[in-house]
Amino acid sequence: MKLVWQALVRAFFSLDWPLLILLALMALLGLTVMHSAVGGTDWRFAEQSKHFVVAFFVMWAIAIIPPPWIMRAAPYVYALAVVLLLGVEFFGETSKGATRWLNLGFTRIQPSEMLKITAPIMLAWYFHKRQNTELRFIDFVVALLLLAIPFALIVRQPDLGTGLLVLTAGFFVMYFAGLSFKLLVPATVILLLGLGFILYYEDMLCEPGFDWVILREYQKHRVCTLLNPGLDPLGKGFHTIQSMIAVGSGGIYGKGYMLGTQSRLDFIPERTTDFIFAVFAEEFGLYGGIMLLVLYSLIILRGLAIAVQAKTQYSRLVAGSMAMMLFTYVFVNVGMVTGVLPVVGVPLPFMSYGGTALLTLGVACGMLMGISRYKPVKTTEH
Amino acid sequence: MFEFKKTSQLLRRRTIVRASVAGVVVLLLLSILIARLWYLQVVRYEGLAARADQNRIAVVPIPPRRGEVTDRTGVVLARNYRDYTLTVVPAHIDKPMNDMLDELSTLVYLSPRERRRFNQLLGQSSRYAPIILRNNLNEIEASWFAAHSFKFPGVELQARWVREYPQGESAAHVIGYVGRISQADEQQLENEGRIGNYRGTHIIGKKGIEKTWEDTLHGQTGVEEVEVTASGRPVRVLSRKDPVPGMDLQLSIDIGLQQHAEAQFAGRRGALVAIEPSTGEVLAFVSAPSFDPNLFVDGIDVENWRKLNESPDHPLINRPLFGTYPIGSTYKPFVALAALEMGKRAAHDRMPDPGYFEFGGQRFRNAGGAAYGWTDMHRALVVSSDTYFYSLGPDIGVDALHDFSKQFGFGQLTGIDLEGERKGILPSREWKRNAYKTPSQQRWYAGETVSVVVGQGYNSFTLLQLAQATSVLANNGVYMKPHLVRDLINPINGDRQATVTEPSHVIPLKQANIDVVKKALIDVTRSGTARRAFANAAYQAAGKTGTAQVFSLRGAKYNASAIDERLRDHALFMAYAPADNPKIAIGLIVENAGWGATIAAPLARSVFDYWLVERGNLKP
């Protein structure tokens, strides 16, 4: 009993303080903006506060679990998540045309959300196992296969956004594991060329009759709207235009806390969730926006630093991929709100309303903290 | 599980490299976002801030209630009622229009006529302007649609004020009608700087009083500044300026007299204007046939429009105002008065009437070929001797006659409060010089004066001018401007404001001369051409018959040999009563009805009887 208590106290104090302080700042800011976004006191503000408390507890709980334990569990939680995804496939609950939820009787869960964590730790587990041999092409094929199963299941729901995020998380593991730059650089170039091609032939590609084969009509519409929000000013483009107006009208200094006219008046769609950055940028202006992005980059860089200092390959891969996932969320979300990326359902970490997203973040940060404080017993230097 | 030191170092180094690259990429991409923020918040700040303001505050116009119109006794001629209307904004319809209409018609009945009219308006209107699809929804239909409205984006249920003319065809040419604001109307409002006051207003006066008194009837549009959501849902009202309702108008028309007179025209074409001489108030203003102004309020449909527009009877033409006729012998009292005033004739000067007058080698005949023998002015008026008047022509001269007649309003705009008044032609040398091109056409021939003095030739007057001149004569030369609107009534406090109170001018006439003419006009109804029509009247009337030898409204030339009814002479009459204290003066024409005495005079008698006897206006 005494030992357990001591372990807990040690665990508490061995938290990664720089990260904790940054996250606390982030949480404070997140709640402040939420307060404004919901228009003062509202049940969602209280709920979000609870989500933060729960997320911090989960983070702390994960942080005190030694990372090797988690690594050992990785194949099992991955398998469980995939099974649950299959469950969704057969027994899922449908709402708004998408089947994403599984009713377990006592609670409803969204298995695809679990994959954002379980997929990268599964890959990290795999690459950790293969660390002493030279990585071969086949290893990345295996890794891709491990990603492809959940990806396929998630896209079927359909939830392309989450599927791509799971794929991205896995990609970052592969990247840190050593996916060759010889492969990465050409891939990036091809990607950029592809984007250039799309931009150049925008008019033709967005013709109503033009079939994109690989993408559904609404996805094509999304891309086309991004290319030219004015195409559909009252539909999909409306979100982007309105949020750009909100952000832009904030100016350098912002309109002041709780004084954002656009957000106050329901012009901003999803202002408590995906578009909360518009509320923030309108009220706090360019200074606020820069400050927030700096705060995010500090957290991300701290995560990368934890990866660099990590003692095991698994830890390096998990820490690196978690940090980069955080970045991906921030970049895609802010890019979407400011009109440089298409409107996809990606929440802004620590800001957007939602218990599940915060819980996932809590788990991710908990693992970062655990990795940060974990000093493995040295076996080879005796 | 353990790591080999070499491997461990290799993996650590790899992580450092990869994390560094990742860090750089992170900072680079986040810098792009910051650049984007800078672009939006600094570079595009002004434009986006302006859009934010537009976005936020919706200026909602509150159209004022349009003033109502009553007759002189308070009978309502034009009013407003609440109506539920379905409107469609074409731009917001997300499927083929016909599919939507088919679907909608399962909820709300849409008649083929309504669909036709809608399709017609659809072609004419802006895609963003609401088009009326169906009005007069009953409560059940309205609530039924309201419950299903979510299925029909772009279709809206609106409660609005609709103009209604309870008297139907009666006095339609006076009241006129309102209609949808057309692009031409919009342009005009724009040019006059009044467009702002018409935000939220869909109708505007198109004809008659509704048009002439548009400004007064319309009122001042109010404004509400409302904070709205993106979906247009109002959040709160920031400011409100109440609309000022339009003034109610009380007309001088008596709808009873109007309808009585209209009834006399049943089946005929013609015009009648009755004026109260002492005030210039128009008591009746008939243009027959008439039309139902209610057809125009929401835009007339093709079928009805064609019926009205292509009718050979031209029901849409405001005859008293727009039709110009040579007024024939009804002009003679004024010519006689001119001769007296200018000293060209004394009342007792007599001349022989052999049935014709020779002038410049040309023979001008009496109408009907009668010969009246020795004739003085009195007799000439009573029997309507053309020859006597022919002889006045060269003595008075066309220019002097022009100047004299002008004072009574002939060939002039009377200034009545209706738009579209025509001036007609009061001939003079100057007029002819301006009217024609070649010198030979421009020259005035003395012989032309001879036909002018009997109300023929170039003379072309409106019936309103004839009625007004009669009224001025009855009023001994005091010119009261003819008007239809008697009082403006403030609908809030009931304050009244009279429109015309003072004479415009007084024609300097010798009472003795007036008396000569008036006495003759009395005898016209006692023993002259109108004696039969006025036999046993309860009052003494004074008047003059007339026959206009010419054209229908279309300008078809009169042809004596033609048998077509539409080419027959017009029957005219001018009169006032009671002769000693005129309460009513009229000018009337019955188109293609032949002699003035047989049809026009009895019509006047009927109108006088109604107004003076039946309605008790005989008492002083």
Side-chain angles (χ1 to χ4, degrees), chain A residues 71 128-129 131-132 134-135 174-181 184 234 238 241-242 244-245 247-252 255 261-262 265-267 277 281-282 285-286 289-290 293 296-297 300-301 304 307-313 316 324 327 330-331 334-335 338-340 379-381, chain B residues 1-5 7-42 44-57 91-92 128 227-233 235-236:
Chain A
M71 187 184 78
H128 184 92
K129 292 286 173 205
Q131 64 178 309
N132 288 326
E134 198 67 28
L135 282 174
M174 290 191 267
Y175 166 77
F176 282 102
L179 189 58
S180 170
F181 279 116
L184 271 174
L234 290 170
F238 181 77
I241 291 168
Q242 291 299 339
M244 273 166 59
I245 291 174
V247 172
S249 67
I252 298 175
K255 293 178 184 168
T261 54
Q262 297 310 97
L265 291 165
D266 278 2
F267 279 104
F277 182 76
E282 186 187 11
L286 182 62
I290 292 175
L293 291 176
Y296 276 124
S297 53
I300 294 158
L301 293 179
L304 290 176
V308 168
Q309 291 161 6
K311 297 294 186 277
T312 70
Q313 178 66 350
R316 290 182 198 111
M324 289 309 284
F327 163 74
V330 171
F331 183 74
V334 176
T338 54
V340 292
T379 51
T380 54
E381 280 160 355
Chain B
M1 195 183 306
F2 59 90
E3 290 178 343
F4 294 107
K5 198 168 181 197
T7 318
S8 170
Q9 271 177 350
L10 178 84
L11 291 177
R12 265 202 75 162
R13 221 175 296 127
R14 179 185 283 165
T15 306
I16 290 169
V17 171
R18 300 253 157 180
S20 305
V21 170
V24 169
V25 169
V26 164
L27 291 180
L28 208 74
L29 289 178
L30 289 182
S31 304
I32 289 177
L33 289 184
I34 288 174
R36 177 68 178 176
L37 285 178
W38 180 82
Y39 170 73
L40 290 177
Q41 297 184 314
V42 177
R44 291 190 57 191
Y45 170 72
E46 272 180 38
L48 292 172
R51 283 190 66 182
D53 272 347
Q54 287 168 9
N55 238 349
R56 176 162 61 103
I57 299 166
H92 295 164
Y128 294 92
E227 276 196 1
V228 292
T229 64
S231 53
R233 190 164 56 81
V235 179
R236 68 188 164 108

Side-chain angles (χ1 to χ4, degrees), chain B residues 142-153:
Chain B
S143 53
W144 190 242
F145 173 80
H148 292 81
S149 61
F150 67 93
K151 290 185 213 156
F152 299 98

Side-chain angles (χ1 to χ4, degrees), chain A residues 252-376:
Chain A
I252 298 175
Y253 307 104
K255 293 178 184 168
Y257 183 53
M258 302 280 281
L259 295 174
T261 54
Q262 297 310 97
S263 32
R264 287 266 79 75
L265 291 165
D266 278 2
F267 279 104
I268 300 174
E270 317 272 339
R271 64 182 160 155
T272 60
T273 55
D274 290 354
F275 280 83
I276 196 163
F277 182 76
V279 177
F280 178 84
E282 186 187 11
E283 297 189 348
F284 296 100
L286 182 62
Y287 284 152
I290 292 175
M291 187 191 76
L292 185 71
L293 291 176
V294 166
L295 197 53
Y296 276 124
S297 53
L298 287 177
I299 293 172
I300 294 158
L301 293 179
R302 179 66 200 154
L304 290 176
I306 288 171
V308 168
Q309 291 161 6
K311 297 294 186 277
T312 70
Q313 178 66 350
Y314 162 82
S315 297
R316 290 182 198 111
L317 298 184
V318 170
S321 105
M322 293 297 150
M324 289 309 284
M325 272 308 283
L326 195 67
F327 163 74
T328 306
Y329 275 66
V330 171
F331 183 74
V332 171
N333 182 279
V334 176
M336 157 184 103
V337 173
T338 54
V340 292
L341 290 177
V343 176
V344 285
V346 171
L348 186 61
F350 309 108
M351 304 284 265
S352 292
Y353 179 85
T356 317
L358 274 181
L359 204 66
T360 309
L361 279 169
V363 173
C365 292
M367 292 198 297
L368 274 178
M369 295 217 158
I371 291 165
S372 163
R373 66 173 264 283
Y374 178 66
K375 307 283 189 295

